[in-house]
Amino acid sequence: MTILLAIIGLLLATALVAAIGERTGLPWSALLTVVVAPLLFIPGIETISLDTHLILPIFIPPLLWSLARRTSWGMIRAQVHVVLVMSVMLVFLTIAALTATAMWLMPGIGLAAAMVLAAAIAPPDPVAVDAVAGSAGIPKRITGTLETEGLFNDAASIVAFNVALTALVAGGDVDFSEGALKFLYSAVVAVVVGLIAGRLAALFVNTVHDSLIRRAFTWVLPFAIFIAAEEIQASGVIAIVIAAVEMSSRASFTAEDRLSGNAFWETIELLFTGLAFGLIGMSVRDAIDDAGTMVWQAVGIGLVLSIVAFVVRFACMWVLYQFKKRMNRTDVAPLRMQEVLLMTWAGMRGLVTLALVLSIPAGTTKYHHELSVIALSVLTFTMVIPGLLLPWLVRQMDLENGPDAKGDRVNAELNQRAYLAARRAIQEHGPELAPESYEMVQVWLGEFAERRQVDPEGAKERRQAFARARKAAADLQRIALQAATEELQKARGERRYNPADVDAVLDEIDRLVIASERDALASPGQMVAWQKPTP
């Protein structure tokens, strides 16, 4: 019952803190960790602990799938150097630097134990980056690069962690050649597993037409892929990413699938992220109790390791920036020194770091009791503090003056492509399907395309007049919809109506409310559907 109450409390706290974050402009995930941790020192409040071997299989699949479904093969191809440099080379360079630093700071720890700790805290967490960057106002081009990095870097760190942990438990030396072979096997097999799973999933989705069944299937799928890949010693992380991208590129989704699917996965991402960061906060008291009198020494070690990780990341970002400047690349970050600093600051550690450190068996190193405090210190210095300061940093860096910072050029290009495709379809099918409406549809499409332009030079007065008329009509429609909603809610409490019948009608009204809130007026036909009484 204690675990259940704690989980319910964390989920409720997630919603409340997310609302506070929306009002204050601060990243809610960092706020949640800050809020939860001090509460645990109140007498009578019990902490909960999950089996450390279950943390990754429970949290990584849905969160990683939610992130991966937003990318594409085109984006991965465009940022293949990000995968190779930031997700592989940077992780291994960071592990090497942190291993050397840990051996210097912690006498007698040994190479294997130092490498285990370094591999756990080396990779930035995609969940932490996404949760913090989304509310900080970072341009999409930079966020896309950070997310692409985060989708793959856990694979390199987990392989290095397992190789070092095997040597630590066995009391032998770290076999680097074996580690390289394991990484290649893990990555290649995971790609194969992901491609097969993604294609089979797309085939299933294209066969089943019920949106509810589709969502249920995609909810279970990432867990199955992760477990299946890990069982054959492949990377569950890579397998999930590949499967999500492959399925998204091959499955035929309707507008309803996209709207409901986005809402579904955004909710899952919010609650699971909140639960994960809440568990990070709940680990503080147990970690301090385990460290005892060595707690401040462990905090100092965590601070130094965090600084080393930031320095290595800054050096890598600076090299990438110089390379892009020489190659005249203008599509992938970092493109300016401001972006180098921002992407260095956004190298946030999170759930993976905590899960790996907590999974180190007791008694394998004399520093075992300090490891949890070191990990939580790294999370504080690389995720909580940077996360809370990130909105301020973004404002100071003047990122809006970067190349297409708001995506205006891309939006204009996509709108133009959509307009031309619609125009071709009308010209091809209009005269034969609806000759009497052909000219009217042509005029409507031209006006619609004009309104969708980023900064049209002409028709400014007409656009303003349309905006005023649209706003007035939308306000009137919202008033009517609100009255209809209130009447139906009152009818739902009356004995003569079946709530299911009321809910069916209310569902249609809710769809109109959503449309009006998005400033898209409902068609007269939709309004008539509920205005006219049924004979």
Side-chain angles (χ1 to χ4, degrees):
M1 184 60 71
T2 300
I3 294 178
L4 179 60
L5 290 176
I7 292 175
I8 298 298
L10 286 177
L11 293 177
L12 180 60
T14 296
L16 297 177
V17 173
I20 295 174
E22 184 182 21
R23 286 290 187 91
T24 61
L26 294 174
W28 65 267
S29 54
L31 280 176
L32 182 63
T33 305
V34 172
V35 168
V36 171
L39 294 178
L40 298 176
F41 292 92
I42 299 176
I45 296 182
E46 299 183 19
T47 60
I48 65 169
S49 58
L50 297 177
D51 186 338
T52 54
H53 297 289
L54 294 178
I55 295 179
L56 290 182
I58 289 176
F59 291 100
I60 287 297
L63 292 175
L64 202 59
W65 184 277
S66 180
L67 293 175
R69 62 188 292 271
R70 300 203 294 261
T71 190
S72 65
W73 287 125
M75 185 174 182
I76 292 176
R77 284 194 297 268
Q79 301 198 14
V80 65
H81 68 284
V82 173
V83 176
L84 295 177
V85 176
M86 296 173 63
S87 299
V88 180
M89 292 179 58
L90 177 56
V91 169
F92 288 138
L93 287 174
T94 305
I95 291 175
L98 292 176
T99 299
T101 305
M103 295 181 69
W104 173 59
L105 293 174
M106 307 164 72
I109 189 175
L111 175 61
M115 187 173 170
V116 164
L117 177 61
I121 63 180
D125 192 337
V127 176
V129 172
D130 182 71
V132 172
S135 58
I138 299 178
K140 291 181 179 179
R141 175 173 48 80
I142 301 176
T143 304
T145 301
L146 292 172
E147 289 180 349
T148 302
E149 173 198 9
L151 290 175
F152 294 96
N153 59 12
D154 288 341
S157 64
I158 291 174
V159 170
F161 177 87
N162 289 331
V163 169
L165 185 61
T166 300
L168 179 63
V169 173
D173 297 328
V174 178
D175 190 337
F176 292 100
S177 60
E178 179 187 357
L181 291 176
K182 282 188 175 181
F183 176 73
L184 290 176
Y185 168 84
S186 175
V188 172
V189 174
V191 170
V192 174
V193 171
L195 288 173
I196 295 174
R199 292 195 179 191
L200 292 176
L203 181 63
F204 177 84
V205 167
N206 292 337
T207 304
V208 177
H209 303 293
D210 189 294
S211 296
L212 179 60
I213 298 176
R214 289 182 173 189
R215 288 196 298 274
F217 174 72
T218 55
W219 161 244
V220 177
L221 185 61
F223 296 98
I225 293 173
F226 185 88
I227 295 173
E230 293 291 328
E231 283 295 316
I232 58 176
Q233 306 300 313
S235 171
V237 171
I238 294 179
I240 288 176
V241 173
I242 298 299
V245 178
E246 180 70 6
M247 192 195 81
S248 299
S249 65
R250 292 180 175 273
S252 299
F253 292 109
T254 64
E256 181 183 359
D257 289 330
R258 289 188 293 272
L259 289 173
S260 61
N262 289 338
F264 172 78
W265 280 107
E266 286 175 3
T267 303
I268 292 296
E269 189 174 349
L270 176 73
L271 295 178
F272 266 68
T273 301
L275 189 57
F277 281 92
L279 290 176
I280 291 175
M282 296 189 74
S283 303
V284 172
R285 189 170 73 184
D286 291 339
I288 292 176
D289 292 340
D290 290 340
T293 58
M294 304 296 291
V295 61
W296 291 113
Q297 179 181 347
V299 170
I301 293 172
L303 174 60
V304 175
L305 292 177
S306 300
I307 294 174
V308 171
F310 275 124
V311 170
V312 174
R313 184 173 179 84
F314 173 81
C316 182
M317 295 298 106
W318 185 83
V319 171
L320 277 176
Y321 162 62
Q322 296 297 328
F323 174 77
K324 288 178 173 48
K325 190 164 64 172
R326 291 189 178 185
M327 296 297 292
N328 200 26
R329 292 287 300 271
T330 59
D331 55 340
V332 182
L335 300 179
R336 299 188 300 164
M337 276 304 299
Q338 293 98 314
E339 297 179 11
V340 170
L341 295 173
L342 178 65
M343 294 178 69
T344 300
W345 193 249
M348 303 174 186
R349 277 60 183 175
L351 181 65
V352 173
T353 293
L354 182 66
L356 292 180
V357 168
L358 293 179
S359 67
I360 300 174
T364 52
T365 172
K366 65 178 183 179
Y367 291 97
H368 181 267
H369 294 302
E370 289 91 338
L371 293 181
S372 297
V373 174
I374 293 174
L376 288 170
S377 301
V378 170
L379 296 182
T380 301
F381 297 128
T382 65
M383 187 268 289
V384 177
I385 295 177
L388 294 175
L389 294 178
L390 191 59
W392 173 83
L393 186 65
V394 170
R395 291 193 297 270
Q396 302 304 311
M397 286 187 172
D398 192 26
L399 295 172
E400 292 188 355
N401 291 328
D404 198 29
K406 296 181 179 180
D408 291 342
R409 178 181 58 79
V410 174
N411 287 338
E413 180 180 328
L414 292 173
N415 277 303
Q416 181 66 10
R417 289 183 59 176
Y419 166 73
L420 292 176
R423 175 71 73 184
R424 287 194 299 268
I426 290 174
Q427 292 174 347
E428 181 180 355
H429 302 289
E432 61 182 73
L433 294 179
E436 69 282 356
S437 305
Y438 179 59
E439 291 299 329
M440 182 179 65
V441 175
Q442 290 260 35
V443 172
W444 167 80
L445 182 59
E447 293 179 349
F448 178 78
E450 187 177 72
R451 295 196 304 272
R452 293 292 295 169
Q453 292 178 13
V454 175
D455 187 20
E457 296 293 338
K460 183 177 180 180
E461 293 183 2
R462 183 171 55 181
R463 190 174 68 253
Q464 292 176 342
F466 176 86
R468 290 192 297 269
R470 184 184 181 91
K471 183 179 184 304
D475 290 341
L476 187 60
Q477 183 180 7
R478 279 193 289 270
I479 293 174
L481 292 173
Q482 180 63 29
T485 300
E486 292 174 354
E487 184 63 24
L488 287 171
Q489 288 174 337
K490 183 172 69 173
R492 201 177 190 280
E494 297 177 6
R495 296 179 59 179
R496 56 178 176 155
Y497 294 114
N498 187 329
D501 295 333
V502 178
D503 289 342
V505 180
L506 188 59
D507 182 72
E508 295 297 324
I509 305 300
D510 289 339
R511 291 176 183 271
L512 294 173
V513 170
I514 293 174
S516 67
E517 289 175 349
R518 292 178 179 175
D519 209 17
L521 293 178
S523 67
Q526 289 178 296
M527 300 292 289
V528 169
W530 59 269
Q531 284 180 331
K532 288 186 177 181
T534 303

